[in-house]
Amino acid sequence: MNEVIRLGVICDQFGNLQRGGAEAQVENTIAALQKTGLVSVEYITHETTDLSKFDLIHFFKSSFEYTPVAITLAEKEIPYVVSTIIYPKNFRLEVLAYNLTRIFPKKLKSLLSISRRVQLWDKASALFPNTIDEAKFISNVTKNNFVKVVPNGLDLYEMTDVSKDLFETEYPFLKNRKFVLNVARVERRKNQKLLVQACKELDMPVVVVGKIWDKKYYEEILNIGYKECYFLGPIYNRKLLFSAYKSCSVFALPSTLETPGIAAMEAAFYNVPIVITRNGGTNLYFEDKAYYVDWRNMQEIKAGIIEMIDKPVDTKQMISNYSWDNIANMYVEMYKAICYKCCLLYTSPSPRDISGS
């Protein structure tokens, strides 16, 4: 094998139409891998005609549509790995459903998306969930023993030299005001409706930054009639977004689930107090420094805001361990092990395991 690992990457070609954390994860992972000089990367598209030139294939997301490619790779004995990027809404029910499909007839399995997804996982050389909770789910539904938590990350270089003055100049009506910040697409999974209701009862301004993805849900939020709810739309200027984190009094992400929510990680880098869902494995990243809530319970969300508003927290150093550079180094070592037929039984890391120390 060449000293430089030839990596093929397969991801959702339409992902940017509903861009979210998965798309950011792909781009940042690939950029960091290329910086190491130990991996050459090529995206696999409809123009790709030869898979044999790759030492390893990396799938991002657990799309059942990837399964035919995975079967081809297995036949050609080309190893592949999967960043799973998946978490169930109902853990027990979905574990049961996934396992039941194993007893179905082969023809029926070929028609079921979850059966094809399990086939993708079973044949992989390694599976890479983002959290320990996600790893537990994956381990309960696949025969694959090579499950390794590889966290989401941050680009620490772009997050320096940021002042809250930039945001306050752009939005002067928020200057010197306490407010709750939410950065996420406006949709039911992100649960902004309950957050706005909680802020209304607290008489606390709430600022939502993100694309309106579900217009009906957005209208439901507007019908709450809270005049101190401000929808700013997406902020593409990264420095302005970082400035928004530094300007807010608390960052809230009470979604139905997060693994863990890159926006919350970014806020934590600036020592912003965090109120976040407990679903999806967020505690791996924020440990005891955040307030965890049941997304269905508005009283918990209110209590979290009251508890965390302007609370001094020291999370920058902890969250800095999750740099894309550290994560790229983890991948390189695992790629090497797989390519040299030395793949070990991976176990979920503690935060110290990913710090590079």
Side-chain angles (χ1 to χ4, degrees):
M1 194 194 78
N2 296 329
E3 289 186 7
V4 175
I5 297 169
R6 300 167 298 181
L7 181 71
V9 171
I10 298 180
C11 55
D12 185 357
Q13 62 178 314
F14 302 113
N16 281 326
L17 294 177
Q18 49 179 340
R19 184 177 176 81
E23 287 66 42
Q25 183 177 339
V26 176
E27 292 173 7
N28 285 292
T29 299
I30 299 313
L33 284 170
Q34 290 174 321
K35 280 172 56 180
T36 68
L38 300 172
V39 181
S40 67
V41 181
E42 180 181 326
Y43 285 91
I44 295 174
T45 69
H46 68 284
E47 296 182 347
T48 304
T49 58
D50 182 16
L51 292 174
S52 63
K53 63 181 176 179
F54 299 110
D55 298 310
L56 181 70
I57 305 297
H58 193 145
F59 292 94
F60 285 85
K61 283 189 178 179
S62 296
S63 173
F64 67 89
E65 295 170 339
Y66 297 160
T67 303
V69 181
I71 292 172
T72 299
L73 292 171
E75 291 172 348
K76 293 179 176 292
E77 297 185 344
I78 300 172
Y80 72 87
V81 298
V82 183
S83 289
T84 49
I85 314 179
I86 192 170
Y87 192 77
K89 292 182 179 179
N90 188 313
F91 191 100
R92 292 181 179 178
L93 184 61
E94 293 195 37
V95 166
L96 177 63
Y98 272 83
N99 285 313
L100 277 176
T101 62
R102 290 192 179 276
I103 65 175
F104 291 168
K106 188 174 181 179
K107 288 186 178 180
L108 178 57
K109 287 182 181 180
S110 67
L111 301 175
L112 297 174
S113 61
I114 60 175
S115 291
R116 295 169 68 184
R117 193 174 289 125
V118 167
Q119 193 172 11
L120 171 71
W121 293 335
D122 284 350
K123 294 179 179 294
S125 294
L127 301 173
F128 301 136
N130 289 150
T131 70
I132 292 174
D133 286 10
E134 185 182 353
K136 289 178 180 176
F137 171 68
I138 296 295
S139 297
N140 271 281
V141 299
T142 179
K143 295 178 180 179
N144 197 322
N145 291 321
F146 303 109
V147 179
K148 166 78 171 180
V149 173
V150 178
N152 260 316
L154 298 175
D155 184 346
L156 303 184
Y157 302 104
E158 70 171 348
M159 301 184 73
T160 57
D161 302 322
V162 176
S163 168
K164 69 178 185 178
D165 294 341
L166 185 62
F167 183 78
E168 292 179 347
T169 299
E170 185 74 16
Y171 302 100
F173 61 93
L174 292 168
K175 187 173 183 178
N176 297 324
R177 298 192 67 191
K178 296 179 185 294
F179 67 89
V180 176
L181 178 65
N182 172 269
V183 178
R185 292 181 304 193
V186 180
E187 59 175 337
R188 293 188 188 277
R189 187 173 77 81
K190 297 298 184 178
N191 202 32
Q192 287 101 342
K193 183 177 178 180
L194 216 58
L195 174 62
V196 171
Q197 289 174 331
C199 289
K200 182 179 181 181
E201 291 195 9
L202 292 171
D203 195 25
M204 174 66 61
V206 56
V207 174
V208 179
V209 174
K211 185 177 182 180
I212 298 170
W213 186 249
D214 185 335
K215 291 184 178 180
K216 182 178 179 181
Y217 185 62
Y218 170 65
E219 290 171 358
E220 290 178 18
I221 299 173
L222 292 181
N223 288 336
I224 295 172
Y226 186 38
K227 294 182 180 180
E228 289 273 45
C229 175
Y230 303 101
F231 288 94
L232 304 186
I235 294 179
Y236 298 110
N237 181 327
R238 297 287 286 166
K239 292 294 184 183
L240 181 58
L241 177 61
F242 299 153
S243 180
Y245 295 131
K246 297 193 76 171
S247 299
C248 73
S249 300
V250 64
F251 180 88
L253 197 64
S255 314
T256 59
L257 64 95
E258 291 290 348
T259 62
I262 291 178
M265 295 176 67
E266 291 173 342
F269 178 81
Y270 295 110
N271 292 322
V272 176
I274 304 293
V275 175
I276 194 165
T277 180
R278 63 171 61 102
N279 288 11
T282 49
N283 60 324
L284 170 65
Y285 294 79
F286 307 110
E287 301 178 12
D288 61 352
K289 301 294 194 301
Y291 193 104
Y292 300 96
V293 299
D294 178 348
W295 66 271
R296 295 160 292 194
N297 191 326
M298 187 178 69
Q299 295 305 316
E300 281 195 18
I301 298 172
K302 285 173 58 179
I305 294 170
I306 293 169
E307 172 73 20
M308 300 301 286
I309 196 86
D310 283 330
K311 181 178 181 178
V313 293
D314 184 10
T315 50
K316 181 175 181 177
Q317 186 57 51
M318 176 183 72
I319 214 72
S320 294
N321 290 332
Y322 298 94
S323 71
W324 287 116
D325 288 344
N326 285 344
I327 291 162
N329 290 332
M330 288 179 66
Y331 274 129
V332 169
E333 292 306 309
M334 290 183 289
Y335 290 164
K336 286 180 180 178
I338 292 166
C339 290
Y340 283 107
K341 311 292 185 183
C342 296
C343 190
L344 303 175
L345 178 60
Y346 295 123
T347 55
S348 300
S350 67
R352 181 176 297 176
D353 292 327
I354 62 169
S355 67
S357 59

